[in-house]
């Protein structure tokens, strides 16, 4: 058997070193032409494709650094640091001695990560004045066309037709929906149809959202961008109001251009600001800067006001349904055909939102006015001759008597429900886990303090602050729902705003505190 010469480092050849055997077999396989590619060659290919400095560890094998000349360091020498520009051969790994481990993915749910939005290209962004002008003009057009169509139908009552007259009257009605008084031969007409106001607010809200998206400020979290968008839309809307007032003024109607521009500027600013704040997520940024009692009090007060308005809507709808025969007789009194009756019905529906606020004031106690020296309350009903409108068919015939006391409990129950919802919202955020309360929407990170249970001070302070908020909301709505129908007896129509605001503040503040305290005392935490 031939004996191979000894190696230069003094070790005999074939000494049984596994590393040497691996190198020898690998070199032999490489020198053999046409040799089949084995697992070792595949690992060499993978290792060559791996980043520099990354080498898999071989269990049970000694890692050997090979110098530039191909010789290995001796036992007493130190390995020099690797240089990235030097060729370093690698050692093949025998995968046959390492079993493959299969990972069971069936028990691990797949989590889909949301894709990141690419920043919008500045070249594709529209200039703010251009975007605001187009969005404002579109919002004004969508809110004007229905008004012109309804008033055009109602004008058939007097046998007056023509697109020009309908367009002029529709433009005057459109300005009236923004609270702009219209001077007529019988006096100023200032009773705004709030259903039209809601349509205008919705379109301006969408305009603020579209302009924010067009200029690339969506989800930017910038209150400055939201305010800038709202101011630009408000200015554009004010210019439209000025032009509309100039077009309406002088043809049997008197309109102040300056007042029209101011009213429409405020409407454009207020409604579009809501949309821009929502679109930029600046509303969340602003809300986080408000103290907790004030933030929860604002939300609870708005909820209480909405619940009282819902109760008013239910009461008004029930009253009109009961007086449906009288409403049908009022509509039949207009002998102008289907078109005229349809127009007068739609005008009554446009003032339906006003009737909801009046019904809410009626349930709260102050009631509302239908002309000078008139009063419509639970304990008193004094009215004079009224226009023949189907909306007025639901007026009570007299004082409610003993049943009026039960109706006074409706706003109290609505405010108590708002307080209970406040406590449920605070308790719903905090869930009990292992005897501790944890935030279900924002998990506690290691090292952070565990969120405490909402205290009595937070619950009661938020409930008490809800009273002034609800009073302010209902007072402003009462002011918007009132107005005049000429200089005669119908010069004062609607609730007295400060009466409604004062009563609502007291009722909501006390009732909401009772509901919140009951929900806090008899809570039922959710255990996870």
């Amino acid at each position: 058997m031939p004996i191979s010469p000894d190696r230069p480092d003094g070790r005999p050849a074939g000494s049984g070193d596994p590393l040497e055997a691996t190198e020898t077999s690998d070199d032999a396989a490489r020198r053999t032409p046409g040799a089949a590619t084995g697992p070792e060659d595949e690992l060499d290919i993978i290792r060559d494709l791996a980043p520099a400095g990354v080498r898999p560890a071989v269990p049970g094998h000694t890692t050997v650094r090979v110098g530039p000349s191909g010789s290995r360091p001796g036992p007493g020498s130190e390995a020099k640091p690797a240089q990235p520009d030097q060729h370093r051969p690698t050692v093949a790994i025998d995968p046959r001695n390492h079993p493959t481990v299969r990972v069971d993915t069936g028990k691990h749910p797949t989590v889909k990560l949301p894709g990141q939005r690419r920043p919008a290209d500045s070249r594709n962004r529209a200039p703010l004045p251009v975007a605001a002008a187009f969005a404002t003009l579109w919002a004004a057009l969508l809110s004007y066309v229905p008004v012109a169509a309804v008033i055009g139908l109602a004008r058939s009552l007097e046998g007056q037709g023509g697109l020009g007259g309908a367009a002029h009257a529709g433009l005057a009605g459109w300005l009236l929906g923004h609270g702009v008084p219209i001077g007529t031969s019988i006096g100023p007409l200032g009773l705004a149809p709030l259903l039209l106001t809601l349509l205008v607010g919705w379109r301006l809200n969408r305009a603020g959202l579209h302009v924010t998206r067009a200029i690339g400020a969506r989800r930017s979290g910038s209150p400055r961008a939201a305010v800038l968008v709202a101011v630009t839309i408000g200015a554009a809307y004010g210019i439209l109001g000025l032009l509309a007032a100039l077009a309406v003024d002088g043809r049997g109607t008197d309109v102040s251009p300056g007042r029209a521009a101011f009213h429409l500027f405020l409407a454009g600013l207020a409604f579009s600001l809501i949309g821009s704040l929502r679109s930029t997520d600046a509303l969340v940024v602003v809300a986080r800067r408000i103290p907790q009692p004030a933030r929860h009090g604002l939300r609870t007060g708005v909820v209480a006001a909405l619940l009282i308005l819902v109760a008013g809507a239910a009461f008004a709808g029930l009253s009109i349904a009961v007086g449906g025969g009288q409403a049908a007789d009022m509509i039949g009194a207009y002998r102008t055909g289907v078109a005229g009756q349809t127009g007068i019905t739609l005008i009554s529906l446009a003032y339906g939102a006003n009737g909801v606020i009046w019904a809410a004031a009626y349930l709260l106690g102050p009631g509302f006015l239908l002309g000078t020296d008139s009063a419509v309350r639970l304990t008193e009903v004094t009215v004079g001759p009224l226009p023949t409108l189907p909306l007025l068919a639901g007026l009570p015939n007299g004082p409610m008597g003993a049943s009026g006391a039960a109706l006074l409990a409706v706003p109290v129950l609505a405010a108590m429900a708002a307080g209970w919802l406040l406590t449920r919202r605070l308790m719903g955020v905090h869930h009990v886990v292992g005897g501790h309360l944890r935030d279900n929407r924002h998990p506690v990170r290691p090292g952070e303090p565990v969120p405490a249970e909402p205290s009595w001070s937070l619950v009661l302070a938020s409930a008490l602050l809800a009273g002034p908020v609800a009073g302010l909301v209902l007072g402003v709505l009462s002011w918007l729902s009132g107005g005049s129908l000429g200089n005669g007896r119908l010069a004062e129509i609607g609730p007295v705003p400060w009466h409604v605001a004062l009563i609502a503040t007291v009722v909501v503040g006390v009732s909401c505190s009772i509901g919140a305290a009951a929900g806090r005392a008899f809570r039922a935490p959710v255990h996870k």
Side-chain angles (χ1 to χ4, degrees), residues 119-471:
D121 191 357
S122 59
R123 294 173 297 180
N124 298 330
R125 298 176 183 176
L128 178 59
V130 176
F134 275 97
T136 305
L137 185 61
W138 181 247
L141 184 63
L142 289 182
S143 59
Y144 163 72
V145 171
V147 180
V150 171
I151 293 183
L153 291 175
R155 282 172 59 86
S156 61
L157 293 173
E158 303 175 1
Q160 299 177 358
L163 294 178
H168 178 268
L171 198 57
W174 183 73
L175 290 175
L176 182 62
H178 295 80
V180 181
I182 307 297
T184 62
S185 58
I186 61 174
L189 182 64
L191 186 62
L194 290 188
L195 189 62
L196 174 59
T197 307
L198 290 177
L199 174 62
V200 169
W202 173 55
R203 293 314 312 171
L204 289 174
N205 179 23
R206 300 296 299 176
L209 190 147
H210 293 322
V211 173
T212 304
R213 183 183 303 169
I215 65 174
R218 186 183 182 188
R219 296 182 181 177
S220 62
S222 173
R224 179 178 175 275
V227 173
L228 184 61
V229 168
V231 171
T232 307
I233 293 178
Y237 208 59
I239 295 174
L240 289 179
L242 177 64
L243 297 177
L246 292 176
V248 172
D249 190 23
R251 296 179 56 185
T253 53
D254 297 328
V255 181
S256 172
R259 189 168 185 176
F262 179 70
H263 278 225
L264 267 73
F265 169 75
L266 290 182
L269 176 65
F271 290 120
S272 64
L273 182 61
I274 300 174
S276 60
L277 286 175
R278 290 174 55 243
S279 180
T280 58
D281 288 341
L283 189 61
V284 179
V285 177
V286 174
R288 289 176 178 174
R289 298 175 182 176
I290 303 176
Q292 272 195 340
R295 183 169 67 249
H296 295 301
L298 284 171
R299 179 183 296 179
T300 306
V302 173
V303 170
L306 291 178
L307 290 178
I308 293 176
L309 290 175
V310 169
F315 180 77
L318 182 61
S319 300
I320 295 176
V322 171
Q326 184 179 357
D329 295 338
M330 290 182 178
I331 295 177
Y334 297 97
R335 302 183 182 279
T336 55
V338 177
Q341 293 178 358
T342 302
I344 198 64
T345 302
L346 292 176
I347 290 178
S348 298
L349 291 178
Y351 284 98
N354 302 60
V356 169
I357 299 174
W358 298 350
Y362 181 81
L363 294 177
L364 283 170
F368 55 95
L369 305 176
L370 284 177
T372 56
D373 299 329
S374 65
V376 180
R377 304 187 185 94
L378 288 171
T379 58
E380 178 186 3
V381 177
T382 304
V383 295
L386 298 174
T388 54
L389 293 176
L391 180 64
L392 301 178
L395 287 177
N397 296 324
M400 297 299 293
S403 58
L407 291 177
L408 287 175
V410 174
V412 174
L413 295 177
M416 291 179 65
W420 180 78
L421 291 175
L422 165 66
T423 306
R424 292 298 301 171
R425 183 169 59 251
L426 293 176
M427 297 300 299
V429 171
H430 304 279
H431 294 273
V432 178
V433 179
H436 298 282
L437 290 169
R438 294 183 180 273
D439 192 343
N440 187 32
R441 293 180 298 181
H442 307 283
V444 179
R445 298 179 180 178
E448 293 183 353
V450 178
E453 184 178 10
S455 60
W456 278 101
S457 59
L458 174 61
V459 173
L460 294 180
S462 302
L464 288 174
L465 286 175
V469 173

Side-chain angles (χ1 to χ4, degrees), residues 498-525:
W498 72 270
H499 288 177
V500 176
L502 180 61
I503 298 299
T505 299
V506 176
V507 171
V508 173
V510 175
S511 303
C512 190
S513 300
I514 295 175
R520 175 67 172 79
F522 303 101
R523 67 189 185 281

Side-chain angles (χ1 to χ4, degrees), residues 98-103:
H98 304 280
T100 302
V101 180
R102 299 185 63 182
V103 180

